[in-house]
PDB file of all heavy atoms in Angstrom:
ATOM      1  N   ILE C 185       3.026  -7.799  16.121  1.00 93.00           N
ATOM      2  CA  ILE C 185       3.963  -8.723  15.489  1.00 93.00           C
ATOM      3  C   ILE C 185       4.298  -9.874  16.435  1.00 93.00           C
ATOM      4  O   ILE C 185       4.445  -9.679  17.646  1.00 93.00           O
ATOM      5  CB  ILE C 185       5.261  -7.986  15.056  1.00 93.00           C
ATOM      6  CG1 ILE C 185       6.178  -8.925  14.281  1.00 93.00           C
ATOM      7  CG2 ILE C 185       5.979  -7.377  16.247  1.00 93.00           C
ATOM      8  CD1 ILE C 185       7.344  -8.224  13.610  1.00 93.00           C
ATOM      9  N   LYS C 186       4.376 -11.077  15.876  1.00 91.00           N
ATOM     10  CA  LYS C 186       4.874 -12.235  16.617  1.00 91.00           C
ATOM     11  C   LYS C 186       6.297 -12.450  16.129  1.00 91.00           C
ATOM     12  O   LYS C 186       6.540 -12.996  15.050  1.00 91.00           O
ATOM     13  CB  LYS C 186       4.020 -13.471  16.356  1.00 91.00           C
ATOM     14  CG  LYS C 186       4.479 -14.696  17.126  1.00 91.00           C
ATOM     15  CD  LYS C 186       3.601 -15.909  16.845  1.00 91.00           C
ATOM     16  CE  LYS C 186       2.282 -15.810  17.576  1.00 91.00           C
ATOM     17  NZ  LYS C 186       1.499 -17.077  17.462  1.00 91.00           N
ATOM     18  N   ARG C 187       7.241 -11.992  16.928  1.00 85.00           N
ATOM     19  CA  ARG C 187       8.638 -11.939  16.477  1.00 85.00           C
ATOM     20  C   ARG C 187       9.216 -13.330  16.233  1.00 85.00           C
ATOM     21  O   ARG C 187      10.069 -13.505  15.356  1.00 85.00           O
ATOM     22  CB  ARG C 187       9.483 -11.182  17.508  1.00 85.00           C
ATOM     23  CG  ARG C 187       8.980  -9.758  17.719  1.00 85.00           C
ATOM     24  CD  ARG C 187       9.934  -8.915  18.548  1.00 85.00           C
ATOM     25  NE  ARG C 187       9.334  -7.621  18.856  1.00 85.00           N
ATOM     26  CZ  ARG C 187       9.278  -6.601  18.022  1.00 85.00           C
ATOM     27  NH1 ARG C 187       9.779  -6.740  16.811  1.00 85.00           N
ATOM     28  NH2 ARG C 187       8.711  -5.470  18.378  1.00 85.00           N
ATOM     29  N   ALA C 188       8.766 -14.313  16.969  1.00 82.00           N
ATOM     30  CA  ALA C 188       9.311 -15.666  16.800  1.00 82.00           C
ATOM     31  C   ALA C 188       9.044 -16.195  15.393  1.00 82.00           C
ATOM     32  O   ALA C 188       9.839 -16.968  14.851  1.00 82.00           O
ATOM     33  CB  ALA C 188       8.717 -16.602  17.845  1.00 82.00           C
ATOM     34  N   ARG C 189       7.907 -15.769  14.788  1.00 84.00           N
ATOM     35  CA  ARG C 189       7.557 -16.253  13.452  1.00 84.00           C
ATOM     36  C   ARG C 189       7.611 -15.140  12.403  1.00 84.00           C
ATOM     37  O   ARG C 189       7.423 -15.405  11.206  1.00 84.00           O
ATOM     38  CB  ARG C 189       6.154 -16.864  13.474  1.00 84.00           C
ATOM     39  CG  ARG C 189       6.095 -18.187  14.198  1.00 84.00           C
ATOM     40  CD  ARG C 189       4.689 -18.758  14.238  1.00 84.00           C
ATOM     41  NE  ARG C 189       4.064 -18.858  12.936  1.00 84.00           N
ATOM     42  CZ  ARG C 189       4.303 -19.804  12.036  1.00 84.00           C
ATOM     43  NH1 ARG C 189       5.200 -20.743  12.322  1.00 84.00           N
ATOM     44  NH2 ARG C 189       3.673 -19.833  10.887  1.00 84.00           N
ATOM     45  N   GLY C 190       7.823 -13.916  12.843  1.00 85.00           N
ATOM     46  CA  GLY C 190       7.875 -12.803  11.905  1.00 85.00           C
ATOM     47  C   GLY C 190       6.529 -12.495  11.279  1.00 85.00           C
ATOM     48  O   GLY C 190       6.455 -12.012  10.142  1.00 85.00           O
ATOM     49  N   VAL C 191       5.437 -12.778  11.999  1.00 90.00           N
ATOM     50  CA  VAL C 191       4.080 -12.559  11.486  1.00 90.00           C
ATOM     51  C   VAL C 191       3.546 -11.232  12.007  1.00 90.00           C
ATOM     52  O   VAL C 191       3.598 -10.964  13.214  1.00 90.00           O
ATOM     53  CB  VAL C 191       3.133 -13.700  11.916  1.00 90.00           C
ATOM     54  CG1 VAL C 191       1.722 -13.438  11.392  1.00 90.00           C
ATOM     55  CG2 VAL C 191       3.661 -15.029  11.418  1.00 90.00           C
ATOM     56  N   THR C 192       3.034 -10.417  11.093  1.00 93.00           N
ATOM     57  CA  THR C 192       2.479  -9.118  11.450  1.00 93.00           C
ATOM     58  C   THR C 192       0.968  -9.127  11.258  1.00 93.00           C
ATOM     59  O   THR C 192       0.469  -9.613  10.245  1.00 93.00           O
ATOM     60  CB  THR C 192       3.092  -8.002  10.582  1.00 93.00           C
ATOM     61  OG1 THR C 192       4.512  -8.005  10.737  1.00 93.00           O
ATOM     62  CG2 THR C 192       2.547  -6.642  10.973  1.00 93.00           C
ATOM     63  N   VAL C 193       0.246  -8.600  12.252  1.00 95.00           N
ATOM     64  CA  VAL C 193      -1.211  -8.489  12.194  1.00 95.00           C
ATOM     65  C   VAL C 193      -1.594  -7.027  12.353  1.00 95.00           C
ATOM     66  O   VAL C 193      -1.107  -6.342  13.262  1.00 95.00           O
ATOM     67  CB  VAL C 193      -1.885  -9.336  13.293  1.00 95.00           C
ATOM     68  CG1 VAL C 193      -3.401  -9.143  13.255  1.00 95.00           C
ATOM     69  CG2 VAL C 193      -1.532 -10.796  13.130  1.00 95.00           C
ATOM     70  N   ASP C 194      -2.456  -6.553  11.471  1.00 94.00           N
ATOM     71  CA  ASP C 194      -2.921  -5.168  11.515  1.00 94.00           C
ATOM     72  C   ASP C 194      -4.419  -5.165  11.769  1.00 94.00           C
ATOM     73  O   ASP C 194      -5.204  -5.600  10.936  1.00 94.00           O
ATOM     74  CB  ASP C 194      -2.605  -4.477  10.172  1.00 94.00           C
ATOM     75  CG  ASP C 194      -2.775  -2.969  10.243  1.00 94.00           C
ATOM     76  OD1 ASP C 194      -3.158  -2.470  11.323  1.00 94.00           O
ATOM     77  OD2 ASP C 194      -2.523  -2.292   9.239  1.00 94.00           O
ATOM     78  N   LEU C 195      -4.817  -4.704  12.954  1.00 94.00           N
ATOM     79  CA  LEU C 195      -6.235  -4.564  13.285  1.00 94.00           C
ATOM     80  C   LEU C 195      -6.729  -3.232  12.741  1.00 94.00           C
ATOM     81  O   LEU C 195      -6.148  -2.192  13.031  1.00 94.00           O
ATOM     82  CB  LEU C 195      -6.441  -4.603  14.802  1.00 94.00           C
ATOM     83  CG  LEU C 195      -6.012  -5.870  15.538  1.00 94.00           C
ATOM     84  CD1 LEU C 195      -6.196  -5.683  17.034  1.00 94.00           C
ATOM     85  CD2 LEU C 195      -6.813  -7.074  15.051  1.00 94.00           C
ATOM     86  N   GLN C 196      -7.805  -3.241  11.976  1.00 93.00           N
ATOM     87  CA  GLN C 196      -8.266  -2.005  11.352  1.00 93.00           C
ATOM     88  C   GLN C 196      -9.776  -1.839  11.489  1.00 93.00           C
ATOM     89  O   GLN C 196     -10.523  -2.776  11.234  1.00 93.00           O
ATOM     90  CB  GLN C 196      -7.902  -1.994   9.856  1.00 93.00           C
ATOM     91  CG  GLN C 196      -6.408  -2.062   9.588  1.00 93.00           C
ATOM     92  CD  GLN C 196      -6.092  -1.929   8.122  1.00 93.00           C
ATOM     93  OE1 GLN C 196      -6.630  -1.079   7.429  1.00 93.00           O
ATOM     94  NE2 GLN C 196      -5.210  -2.774   7.628  1.00 93.00           N
ATOM     95  N   TRP C 197     -10.176  -0.660  11.873  1.00 93.00           N
ATOM     96  CA  TRP C 197     -11.591  -0.294  11.817  1.00 93.00           C
ATOM     97  C   TRP C 197     -11.796   0.840  10.806  1.00 93.00           C
ATOM     98  O   TRP C 197     -12.924   1.155  10.426  1.00 93.00           O
ATOM     99  CB  TRP C 197     -12.114   0.132  13.185  1.00 93.00           C
ATOM    100  CG  TRP C 197     -11.454   1.380  13.729  1.00 93.00           C
ATOM    101  CD1 TRP C 197     -10.315   1.452  14.476  1.00 93.00           C
ATOM    102  CD2 TRP C 197     -11.900   2.729  13.554  1.00 93.00           C
ATOM    103  NE1 TRP C 197     -10.015   2.761  14.767  1.00 93.00           N
ATOM    104  CE2 TRP C 197     -10.977   3.571  14.218  1.00 93.00           C
ATOM    105  CE3 TRP C 197     -12.990   3.310  12.896  1.00 93.00           C
ATOM    106  CZ2 TRP C 197     -11.102   4.957  14.244  1.00 93.00           C
ATOM    107  CZ3 TRP C 197     -13.111   4.695  12.921  1.00 93.00           C
ATOM    108  CH2 TRP C 197     -12.189   5.508  13.589  1.00 93.00           C
ATOM    109  N   VAL C 198     -10.685   1.413  10.349  1.00 92.00           N
ATOM    110  CA  VAL C 198     -10.738   2.524   9.406  1.00 92.00           C
ATOM    111  C   VAL C 198      -9.463   2.517   8.584  1.00 92.00           C
ATOM    112  O   VAL C 198      -8.403   2.104   9.062  1.00 92.00           O
ATOM    113  CB  VAL C 198     -10.890   3.879  10.152  1.00 92.00           C
ATOM    114  CG1 VAL C 198      -9.685   4.161  11.032  1.00 92.00           C
ATOM    115  CG2 VAL C 198     -11.114   5.035   9.178  1.00 92.00           C
ATOM    116  N   MET C 199      -9.565   2.921   7.320  1.00 90.00           N
ATOM    117  CA  MET C 199      -8.383   3.227   6.521  1.00 90.00           C
ATOM    118  C   MET C 199      -8.175   4.724   6.619  1.00 90.00           C
ATOM    119  O   MET C 199      -9.077   5.507   6.268  1.00 90.00           O
ATOM    120  CB  MET C 199      -8.575   2.818   5.053  1.00 90.00           C
ATOM    121  CG  MET C 199      -8.325   1.364   4.784  1.00 90.00           C
ATOM    122  SD  MET C 199      -8.215   0.997   3.009  1.00 90.00           S
ATOM    123  CE  MET C 199      -9.943   1.089   2.534  1.00 90.00           C
ATOM    124  N   ALA C 200      -7.010   5.146   7.079  1.00 83.00           N
ATOM    125  CA  ALA C 200      -6.780   6.573   7.278  1.00 83.00           C
ATOM    126  C   ALA C 200      -5.344   6.931   6.943  1.00 83.00           C
ATOM    127  O   ALA C 200      -4.420   6.144   7.150  1.00 83.00           O
ATOM    128  CB  ALA C 200      -7.093   6.967   8.732  1.00 83.00           C
ATOM    129  N   ASP C 201      -5.182   8.121   6.421  1.00 79.00           N
ATOM    130  CA  ASP C 201      -3.846   8.633   6.117  1.00 79.00           C
ATOM    131  C   ASP C 201      -3.970  10.137   5.862  1.00 79.00           C
ATOM    132  O   ASP C 201      -4.387  10.553   4.788  1.00 79.00           O
ATOM    133  CB  ASP C 201      -3.263   7.943   4.881  1.00 79.00           C
ATOM    134  CG  ASP C 201      -1.797   8.285   4.670  1.00 79.00           C
ATOM    135  OD1 ASP C 201      -1.269   9.108   5.434  1.00 79.00           O
ATOM    136  OD2 ASP C 201      -1.182   7.715   3.748  1.00 79.00           O
ATOM    137  N   GLY C 202      -3.614  10.938   6.872  1.00 73.00           N
ATOM    138  CA  GLY C 202      -3.733  12.380   6.716  1.00 73.00           C
ATOM    139  C   GLY C 202      -5.189  12.791   6.546  1.00 73.00           C
ATOM    140  O   GLY C 202      -6.047  12.507   7.390  1.00 73.00           O
ATOM    141  N   SER C 203      -5.489  13.439   5.437  1.00 75.00           N
ATOM    142  CA  SER C 203      -6.854  13.908   5.183  1.00 75.00           C
ATOM    143  C   SER C 203      -7.766  12.799   4.673  1.00 75.00           C
ATOM    144  O   SER C 203      -8.963  13.003   4.512  1.00 75.00           O
ATOM    145  CB  SER C 203      -6.833  15.046   4.150  1.00 75.00           C
ATOM    146  OG  SER C 203      -6.350  14.581   2.900  1.00 75.00           O
ATOM    147  N   PHE C 204      -7.197  11.620   4.434  1.00 83.00           N
ATOM    148  CA  PHE C 204      -7.961  10.495   3.891  1.00 83.00           C
ATOM    149  C   PHE C 204      -8.505   9.632   5.026  1.00 83.00           C
ATOM    150  O   PHE C 204      -7.786   9.299   5.969  1.00 83.00           O
ATOM    151  CB  PHE C 204      -7.061   9.650   2.998  1.00 83.00           C
ATOM    152  CG  PHE C 204      -7.725   8.420   2.443  1.00 83.00           C
ATOM    153  CD1 PHE C 204      -8.352   8.465   1.205  1.00 83.00           C
ATOM    154  CD2 PHE C 204      -7.736   7.233   3.146  1.00 83.00           C
ATOM    155  CE1 PHE C 204      -8.971   7.335   0.684  1.00 83.00           C
ATOM    156  CE2 PHE C 204      -8.340   6.105   2.642  1.00 83.00           C
ATOM    157  CZ  PHE C 204      -8.963   6.160   1.397  1.00 83.00           C
ATOM    158  N   SER C 205      -9.792   9.256   4.928  1.00 87.00           N
ATOM    159  CA  SER C 205     -10.378   8.395   5.941  1.00 87.00           C
ATOM    160  C   SER C 205     -11.561   7.642   5.352  1.00 87.00           C
ATOM    161  O   SER C 205     -12.386   8.218   4.645  1.00 87.00           O
ATOM    162  CB  SER C 205     -10.841   9.221   7.149  1.00 87.00           C
ATOM    163  OG  SER C 205     -11.419   8.390   8.133  1.00 87.00           O
ATOM    164  N   PHE C 206     -11.628   6.328   5.636  1.00 92.00           N
ATOM    165  CA  PHE C 206     -12.732   5.494   5.152  1.00 92.00           C
ATOM    166  C   PHE C 206     -12.969   4.400   6.174  1.00 92.00           C
ATOM    167  O   PHE C 206     -12.090   3.586   6.448  1.00 92.00           O
ATOM    168  CB  PHE C 206     -12.385   4.878   3.796  1.00 92.00           C
ATOM    169  CG  PHE C 206     -13.481   4.018   3.220  1.00 92.00           C
ATOM    170  CD1 PHE C 206     -14.531   4.583   2.521  1.00 92.00           C
ATOM    171  CD2 PHE C 206     -13.457   2.627   3.373  1.00 92.00           C
ATOM    172  CE1 PHE C 206     -15.539   3.793   1.982  1.00 92.00           C
ATOM    173  CE2 PHE C 206     -14.463   1.834   2.843  1.00 92.00           C
ATOM    174  CZ  PHE C 206     -15.516   2.424   2.139  1.00 92.00           C
ATOM    175  N   ARG C 207     -14.175   4.372   6.758  1.00 93.00           N
ATOM    176  CA  ARG C 207     -14.484   3.398   7.793  1.00 93.00           C
ATOM    177  C   ARG C 207     -14.662   2.002   7.198  1.00 93.00           C
ATOM    178  O   ARG C 207     -15.254   1.832   6.130  1.00 93.00           O
ATOM    179  CB  ARG C 207     -15.733   3.806   8.559  1.00 93.00           C
ATOM    180  CG  ARG C 207     -15.503   5.029   9.420  1.00 93.00           C
ATOM    181  CD  ARG C 207     -16.530   5.133  10.515  1.00 93.00           C
ATOM    182  NE  ARG C 207     -16.398   4.065  11.501  1.00 93.00           N
ATOM    183  CZ  ARG C 207     -16.688   4.231  12.793  1.00 93.00           C
ATOM    184  NH1 ARG C 207     -17.087   5.391  13.242  1.00 93.00           N
ATOM    185  NH2 ARG C 207     -16.587   3.215  13.634  1.00 93.00           N
ATOM    186  N   LEU C 208     -14.141   1.026   7.932  1.00 94.00           N
ATOM    187  CA  LEU C 208     -14.240  -0.368   7.508  1.00 94.00           C
ATOM    188  C   LEU C 208     -15.237  -1.166   8.344  1.00 94.00           C
ATOM    189  O   LEU C 208     -15.737  -2.199   7.890  1.00 94.00           O
ATOM    190  CB  LEU C 208     -12.869  -1.040   7.599  1.00 94.00           C
ATOM    191  CG  LEU C 208     -11.810  -0.545   6.612  1.00 94.00           C
ATOM    192  CD1 LEU C 208     -10.437  -1.070   7.011  1.00 94.00           C
ATOM    193  CD2 LEU C 208     -12.144  -0.965   5.190  1.00 94.00           C
ATOM    194  N   ASP C 209     -15.511  -0.715   9.558  1.00 91.00           N
ATOM    195  CA  ASP C 209     -16.403  -1.487  10.442  1.00 91.00           C
ATOM    196  C   ASP C 209     -17.863  -1.093  10.210  1.00 91.00           C
ATOM    197  O   ASP C 209     -18.591  -0.726  11.129  1.00 91.00           O
ATOM    198  CB  ASP C 209     -16.006  -1.294  11.906  1.00 91.00           C
ATOM    199  CG  ASP C 209     -16.091   0.161  12.364  1.00 91.00           C
ATOM    200  OD1 ASP C 209     -16.109   1.071  11.494  1.00 91.00           O
ATOM    201  OD2 ASP C 209     -16.154   0.399  13.584  1.00 91.00           O
ATOM    202  N   ARG C 210     -18.303  -1.185   8.959  1.00 92.00           N
ATOM    203  CA  ARG C 210     -19.669  -0.813   8.582  1.00 92.00           C
ATOM    204  C   ARG C 210     -20.605  -2.022   8.737  1.00 92.00           C
ATOM    205  O   ARG C 210     -20.245  -3.148   8.374  1.00 92.00           O
ATOM    206  CB  ARG C 210     -19.691  -0.312   7.134  1.00 92.00           C
ATOM    207  CG  ARG C 210     -18.811   0.912   6.901  1.00 92.00           C
ATOM    208  CD  ARG C 210     -18.777   1.294   5.437  1.00 92.00           C
ATOM    209  NE  ARG C 210     -17.859   2.382   5.163  1.00 92.00           N
ATOM    210  CZ  ARG C 210     -18.212   3.671   5.109  1.00 92.00           C
ATOM    211  NH1 ARG C 210     -19.481   4.008   5.303  1.00 92.00           N
ATOM    212  NH2 ARG C 210     -17.318   4.606   4.855  1.00 92.00           N
ATOM    213  N   PRO C 211     -21.808  -1.795   9.237  1.00 91.00           N
ATOM    214  CA  PRO C 211     -22.742  -2.919   9.439  1.00 91.00           C
ATOM    215  C   PRO C 211     -23.014  -3.711   8.162  1.00 91.00           C
ATOM    216  O   PRO C 211     -23.176  -4.935   8.218  1.00 91.00           O
ATOM    217  CB  PRO C 211     -24.020  -2.213   9.929  1.00 91.00           C
ATOM    218  CG  PRO C 211     -23.536  -0.946  10.553  1.00 91.00           C
ATOM    219  CD  PRO C 211     -22.345  -0.520   9.736  1.00 91.00           C
ATOM    220  N   GLN C 212     -23.050  -3.012   7.007  1.00 91.00           N
ATOM    221  CA  GLN C 212     -23.333  -3.716   5.753  1.00 91.00           C
ATOM    222  C   GLN C 212     -22.325  -4.820   5.482  1.00 91.00           C
ATOM    223  O   GLN C 212     -22.673  -5.880   4.951  1.00 91.00           O
ATOM    224  CB  GLN C 212     -23.346  -2.736   4.574  1.00 91.00           C
ATOM    225  CG  GLN C 212     -24.500  -1.751   4.603  1.00 91.00           C
ATOM    226  CD  GLN C 212     -24.117  -0.454   5.273  1.00 91.00           C
ATOM    227  OE1 GLN C 212     -23.353  -0.442   6.252  1.00 91.00           O
ATOM    228  NE2 GLN C 212     -24.630   0.642   4.754  1.00 91.00           N
ATOM    229  N   PHE C 213     -21.052  -4.578   5.801  1.00 92.00           N
ATOM    230  CA  PHE C 213     -20.030  -5.586   5.558  1.00 92.00           C
ATOM    231  C   PHE C 213     -20.312  -6.853   6.360  1.00 92.00           C
ATOM    232  O   PHE C 213     -20.233  -7.972   5.842  1.00 92.00           O
ATOM    233  CB  PHE C 213     -18.650  -5.046   5.925  1.00 92.00           C
ATOM    234  CG  PHE C 213     -18.106  -4.012   4.970  1.00 92.00           C
ATOM    235  CD1 PHE C 213     -17.025  -3.235   5.317  1.00 92.00           C
ATOM    236  CD2 PHE C 213     -18.681  -3.821   3.715  1.00 92.00           C
ATOM    237  CE1 PHE C 213     -16.511  -2.286   4.436  1.00 92.00           C
ATOM    238  CE2 PHE C 213     -18.183  -2.885   2.832  1.00 92.00           C
ATOM    239  CZ  PHE C 213     -17.091  -2.111   3.191  1.00 92.00           C
ATOM    240  N   TRP C 214     -20.637  -6.684   7.628  1.00 92.00           N
ATOM    241  CA  TRP C 214     -20.825  -7.827   8.514  1.00 92.00           C
ATOM    242  C   TRP C 214     -22.064  -8.623   8.134  1.00 92.00           C
ATOM    243  O   TRP C 214     -22.126  -9.837   8.353  1.00 92.00           O
ATOM    244  CB  TRP C 214     -20.920  -7.344   9.970  1.00 92.00           C
ATOM    245  CG  TRP C 214     -19.737  -6.543  10.368  1.00 92.00           C
ATOM    246  CD1 TRP C 214     -19.630  -5.181  10.346  1.00 92.00           C
ATOM    247  CD2 TRP C 214     -18.467  -7.025  10.803  1.00 92.00           C
ATOM    248  NE1 TRP C 214     -18.372  -4.798  10.749  1.00 92.00           N
ATOM    249  CE2 TRP C 214     -17.641  -5.898  11.048  1.00 92.00           C
ATOM    250  CE3 TRP C 214     -17.946  -8.303  11.028  1.00 92.00           C
ATOM    251  CZ2 TRP C 214     -16.329  -6.005  11.494  1.00 92.00           C
ATOM    252  CZ3 TRP C 214     -16.643  -8.418  11.478  1.00 92.00           C
ATOM    253  CH2 TRP C 214     -15.850  -7.283  11.706  1.00 92.00           C
ATOM    254  N   GLN C 215     -23.061  -7.947   7.583  1.00 93.00           N
ATOM    255  CA  GLN C 215     -24.302  -8.619   7.212  1.00 93.00           C
ATOM    256  C   GLN C 215     -24.155  -9.480   5.951  1.00 93.00           C
ATOM    257  O   GLN C 215     -24.992 -10.339   5.690  1.00 93.00           O
ATOM    258  CB  GLN C 215     -25.409  -7.588   6.998  1.00 93.00           C
ATOM    259  CG  GLN C 215     -25.794  -6.830   8.254  1.00 93.00           C
ATOM    260  CD  GLN C 215     -26.602  -5.574   7.965  1.00 93.00           C
ATOM    261  OE1 GLN C 215     -26.955  -5.305   6.802  1.00 93.00           O
ATOM    262  NE2 GLN C 215     -26.904  -4.801   8.994  1.00 93.00           N
ATOM    263  N   ARG C 216     -23.102  -9.220   5.160  1.00 95.00           N
ATOM    264  CA  ARG C 216     -22.962  -9.896   3.861  1.00 95.00           C
ATOM    265  C   ARG C 216     -21.723 -10.798   3.784  1.00 95.00           C
ATOM    266  O   ARG C 216     -21.293 -11.157   2.697  1.00 95.00           O
ATOM    267  CB  ARG C 216     -22.875  -8.825   2.758  1.00 95.00           C
ATOM    268  CG  ARG C 216     -24.175  -8.081   2.536  1.00 95.00           C
ATOM    269  CD  ARG C 216     -23.980  -6.826   1.681  1.00 95.00           C
ATOM    270  NE  ARG C 216     -23.057  -7.003   0.576  1.00 95.00           N
ATOM    271  CZ  ARG C 216     -23.402  -7.503  -0.621  1.00 95.00           C
ATOM    272  NH1 ARG C 216     -24.656  -7.885  -0.841  1.00 95.00           N
ATOM    273  NH2 ARG C 216     -22.496  -7.621  -1.582  1.00 95.00           N
ATOM    274  N   LEU C 217     -21.164 -11.157   4.908  1.00 95.00           N
ATOM    275  CA  LEU C 217     -19.945 -11.954   4.897  1.00 95.00           C
ATOM    276  C   LEU C 217     -20.133 -13.303   4.211  1.00 95.00           C
ATOM    277  O   LEU C 217     -21.202 -13.906   4.258  1.00 95.00           O
ATOM    278  CB  LEU C 217     -19.436 -12.180   6.326  1.00 95.00           C
ATOM    279  CG  LEU C 217     -18.924 -10.951   7.081  1.00 95.00           C
ATOM    280  CD1 LEU C 217     -18.489 -11.351   8.487  1.00 95.00           C
ATOM    281  CD2 LEU C 217     -17.776 -10.274   6.335  1.00 95.00           C
ATOM    282  N   ARG C 218     -19.068 -13.744   3.574  1.00 94.00           N
ATOM    283  CA  ARG C 218     -19.033 -15.065   2.941  1.00 94.00           C
ATOM    284  C   ARG C 218     -17.991 -15.933   3.659  1.00 94.00           C
ATOM    285  O   ARG C 218     -17.296 -15.470   4.559  1.00 94.00           O
ATOM    286  CB  ARG C 218     -18.650 -14.927   1.464  1.00 94.00           C
ATOM    287  CG  ARG C 218     -19.506 -13.943   0.696  1.00 94.00           C
ATOM    288  CD  ARG C 218     -20.934 -14.423   0.527  1.00 94.00           C
ATOM    289  NE  ARG C 218     -21.773 -13.426  -0.122  1.00 94.00           N
ATOM    290  CZ  ARG C 218     -21.883 -13.275  -1.427  1.00 94.00           C
ATOM    291  NH1 ARG C 218     -21.173 -14.061  -2.248  1.00 94.00           N
ATOM    292  NH2 ARG C 218     -22.680 -12.365  -1.943  1.00 94.00           N
ATOM    293  N   THR C 219     -17.871 -17.157   3.229  1.00 94.00           N
ATOM    294  CA  THR C 219     -16.868 -18.074   3.772  1.00 94.00           C
ATOM    295  C   THR C 219     -15.960 -18.545   2.648  1.00 94.00           C
ATOM    296  O   THR C 219     -16.433 -18.882   1.562  1.00 94.00           O
ATOM    297  CB  THR C 219     -17.524 -19.291   4.433  1.00 94.00           C
ATOM    298  OG1 THR C 219     -18.383 -18.841   5.479  1.00 94.00           O
ATOM    299  CG2 THR C 219     -16.474 -20.215   5.031  1.00 94.00           C
TER     300      THR C 219
END
Side-chain angles (χ1 to χ4, degrees):
I185 185 170
K186 181 180 284 188
R187 301 190 187 281
R189 288 179 53 78
V191 179
T192 302
V193 177
D194 193 359
L195 299 176
Q196 299 185 45
W197 64 272
V198 63
M199 278 192 285
D201 189 356
S203 64
F204 177 92
S205 180
F206 181 83
R207 290 200 67 148
L208 292 168
D209 61 341
R210 300 175 185 266
Q212 292 94 323
F213 288 166
W214 304 95
Q215 295 164 5
R216 291 167 40 85
L217 293 179
R218 307 292 176 85
T219 301

